[in-house]
């Protein structure tokens, strides 16, 4: 990207989180109009809401009435139903769509965007890759669009961000020249940004915490209480750290203590859609798909899909027993075991060992 030219920004996605981030990005593009073009495009998957096109509603009312009702978007955010049209002039592409759709989206955008553009992925999840290995979403974007892509993950429940309640987030960006620009685009007095260069750990945390949130939802549905839930969160964090050590070596332990790590894990295990759906899965006996359709107003559930992708990788590497919490969540979501069997699966967790120096395990 040319250093002096104002940067054009496109938000690729317009769900709950995409609309919340559009509120911030639109305001900052106006605030820093010496750095950014004020007009921010937002790709909106066209739907009919109350007899009108969703894009028309957003552009007329400046509100995403379906996915973020009650919150005004800045008037400089323009909803566009054609992703190629929305993205064609952008210097910064902010990706915030369900991770299942990223390959199709990249195929649509290939050779239709600026070769100098950069990406910022807010997408929490993995791609299955070849069936035995998972791929990071940012790497899929880089490979398929031939651009650099960085990541943003954190304890950022969309409605609370939109309500301007104080929270933190983490940007993983190795480009020291670009990092301040990304921070200016995202940061507000109530949405504080920490930039780190440990991009892979930031992104992996954002995906894996949804698996742990499913386990927390099962615990809530079973009425096991806060002590059990705290144990599940701790064991989940340890499996997240181990997963990075095994499959993405070189990560920094300090990254897990940023917003993308322990903070996002706690928030998602006490709020968020994965916990909520999995609690109702226990209480109602309905399928996860039924509950997704009933409770999420068109949003997608990430935890069960991510658990499935991780399970395939762990099974191929013969490492299922080293990740009993991740494995148990997958088996519950695929009806191989009952939610009530969760504790049996993790009682002998590798973390439940003597850690006094020299002690027998």
């Amino acid at each position: 990207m040319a250093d002096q030219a104002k940067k054009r920004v496109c938000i690729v996605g317009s769900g709950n989180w995409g609309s919340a981030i559009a509120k911030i990005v639109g305001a900052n593009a106006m605030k820093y109009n010496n750095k950014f073009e004020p007009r921010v495009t937002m790709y909106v998957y066209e739907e009919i809401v109350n007899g009108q096109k969703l894009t028309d509603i957003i552009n007329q009312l400046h509100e995403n009435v379906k996915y973020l009702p009650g919150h005004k978007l800045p008037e400089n955010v323009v909803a566009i139903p054609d992703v190629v049209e929305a993205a064609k002039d952008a210097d910064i592409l902010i990706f915030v769509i369900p991770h299942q759709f990223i390959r199709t989206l990249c195929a649509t955008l290939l050779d239709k965007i600026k070769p100098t553009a950069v990406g910022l992925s807010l997408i929490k999840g993995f791609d299955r890759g070849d069936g035995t290995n998972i791929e990071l979403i940012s790497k899929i974007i880089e490979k398929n669009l031939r651009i650099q892509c960085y990541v943003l993950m954190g304890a950022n429940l969309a409605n609370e961000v939109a309500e301007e309640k104080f929270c933190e987030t983490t940007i993983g960006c190795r480009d020291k020249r670009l990092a301040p620009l990304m921070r200016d685009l995202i940061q507000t007095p109530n949405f504080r940004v920490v930039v780190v260069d440990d991009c892979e750990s930031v992104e992996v945390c954002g995906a894996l915490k949804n698996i742990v949130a499913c386990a927390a939802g099962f615990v809530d549905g079973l009425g096991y209480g806060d002590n059990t839930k705290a144990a599940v969160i701790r064991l989940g964090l340890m499996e997240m750290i181990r997963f990075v050590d095994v499959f993405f070596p070189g990560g920094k332990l300090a990254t897990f203590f940023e917003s993308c790590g322990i903070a996002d894990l706690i928030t998602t295990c006490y709020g968020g859609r994965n916990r909520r759906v999995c609690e109702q899965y226990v209480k109602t006996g309905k399928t996860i798909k039924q509950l997704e359709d009933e409770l999420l107003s068109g949003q997608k559930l990430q935890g069960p899909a991510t658990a499935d992708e991780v399970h395939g990788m762990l099974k191929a590497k013969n490492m299922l027993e080293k990740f009993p919490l991740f494995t148990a969540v997958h088996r519950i979501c695929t009806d191989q075991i009952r939610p009530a069997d969760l504790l049996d699966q993790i009682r002998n967790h590798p973390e439940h060992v003597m850690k006094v120096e020299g002690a027998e395990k």
Side-chain angles (χ1 to χ4, degrees):
M1 295 191 308
D3 288 330
Q4 301 306 317
K6 293 182 183 181
K7 311 306 178 193
R8 298 179 185 272
V9 181
C10 172
I11 300 166
V12 184
S14 58
N16 187 231
W17 184 212
S19 298
I21 212 70
K23 187 176 176 182
I24 289 173
V25 169
N28 280 347
M30 292 291 289
K31 179 180 179 181
Y32 298 108
N33 59 14
N34 61 321
K35 300 179 181 181
F36 305 104
E37 288 288 346
R39 183 177 185 266
V40 173
T41 57
M42 179 171 70
Y43 163 61
V44 176
Y45 179 79
E46 193 68 280
E47 301 177 65
I48 302 300
V49 178
N50 299 326
Q52 278 188 282
K53 292 180 179 179
L54 183 55
T55 51
D56 289 343
I57 295 172
I58 292 172
N59 289 331
Q60 291 165 14
L61 302 181
H62 307 292
E63 179 183 348
N64 189 334
V65 296
K66 180 167 184 179
Y67 295 110
L68 195 68
H71 293 279
K72 289 293 182 181
L73 300 178
E75 293 187 10
N76 58 311
V77 174
V78 180
I80 298 175
D82 183 336
V83 68
V84 173
E85 177 66 24
K88 65 179 183 180
D89 295 323
D91 300 293
I92 300 173
L93 294 159
I94 299 174
F95 295 93
V96 54
I97 61 171
H99 78 278
Q100 297 94 325
F101 304 137
I102 192 62
R103 287 186 182 273
T104 301
L105 181 101
C106 287
T108 302
L109 288 178
L110 181 61
D111 297 325
K112 306 289 178 52
I113 60 173
K114 288 184 175 181
T116 53
V118 296
L120 182 68
S121 174
L122 280 60
I123 301 171
K124 295 180 176 179
F126 294 126
D127 185 86
R128 190 179 296 278
D130 61 7
T132 59
N133 289 296
I134 57 176
E135 291 190 57
L136 299 181
I137 301 300
S138 66
K139 300 304 179 188
I140 292 171
I141 293 170
E142 288 186 344
K143 182 169 65 176
N144 288 279
L145 289 182
R146 304 171 195 146
I147 63 173
Q148 288 295 305
C149 186
Y150 303 105
V151 295
L152 181 150
M153 305 285 157
N156 307 143
L157 295 179
N159 282 22
E160 294 186 12
V161 171
E163 291 162 8
E164 299 181 24
K165 295 179 178 177
F166 180 84
C167 65
E168 302 171 314
T169 200
T170 310
I171 290 178
C173 178
R174 294 190 183 91
D175 187 334
K176 290 182 170 55
R177 177 186 59 85
L178 185 62
L181 192 70
M182 291 290 194
R183 184 193 60 221
D184 286 346
L185 184 60
I186 300 295
Q187 182 162 266
T188 75
N190 286 320
F191 194 64
R192 307 307 292 177
V193 174
V194 174
V195 182
V196 301
D197 62 5
D198 187 10
C199 301
E200 290 182 337
S201 297
V202 171
E203 186 167 3
V204 172
C205 282
L208 294 181
K209 58 95 183 183
N210 283 327
I211 303 177
V212 187
C214 290
F218 297 142
V219 167
D220 286 343
L222 292 162
Y224 283 164
D226 288 337
N227 290 342
T228 304
K229 190 167 177 177
V232 164
I233 292 171
R234 186 188 78 85
L235 294 173
L237 177 62
M238 298 310 295
E239 290 195 16
M240 289 166 61
I241 293 170
R242 181 179 294 119
F243 191 90
V244 171
D245 284 344
V246 171
F247 296 109
F248 300 94
K252 299 173 183 176
L253 185 61
T255 304
F256 292 89
F257 295 93
E258 297 291 349
S259 183
C260 63
I262 185 65
D264 196 10
L265 180 62
I266 291 170
T267 296
T268 311
C269 287
Y270 279 90
R273 67 189 77 160
N274 292 281
R275 188 216 63 80
R276 182 160 53 105
V277 168
C278 288
E279 178 184 24
Q280 292 305 311
Y281 174 75
V282 175
K283 289 183 173 180
T284 66
K286 296 179 180 179
T287 68
I288 286 176
K289 181 63 171 68
Q290 282 178 304
L291 292 165
E292 181 183 58
D293 293 341
E294 289 178 13
L295 299 177
L296 300 187
S297 301
Q299 298 176 71
K300 293 297 181 182
L301 200 64
Q302 301 298 328
T306 303
D308 184 54
E309 289 149 4
V310 166
H311 184 267
M313 189 169 183
L314 295 176
K315 185 175 181 180
K317 305 292 185 184
N318 197 28
M319 298 189 73
L320 292 175
E321 64 182 25
K322 294 185 181 299
F323 296 87
L325 182 65
F326 291 172
T327 300
V329 169
H330 169 73
R331 295 179 69 193
I332 293 169
C333 289
T334 53
D335 296 320
Q336 297 178 54
I337 61 174
R338 300 171 303 146
D341 295 327
L342 175 66
L343 295 188
D344 288 336
Q345 301 299 306
I346 61 175
R347 278 196 171 96
N348 295 316
H349 197 283
E351 285 301 312
H352 295 148
V353 297
M354 290 289 288
K355 293 192 176 181
V356 178
E357 187 175 353
E360 292 287 335
K361 290 190 176 181

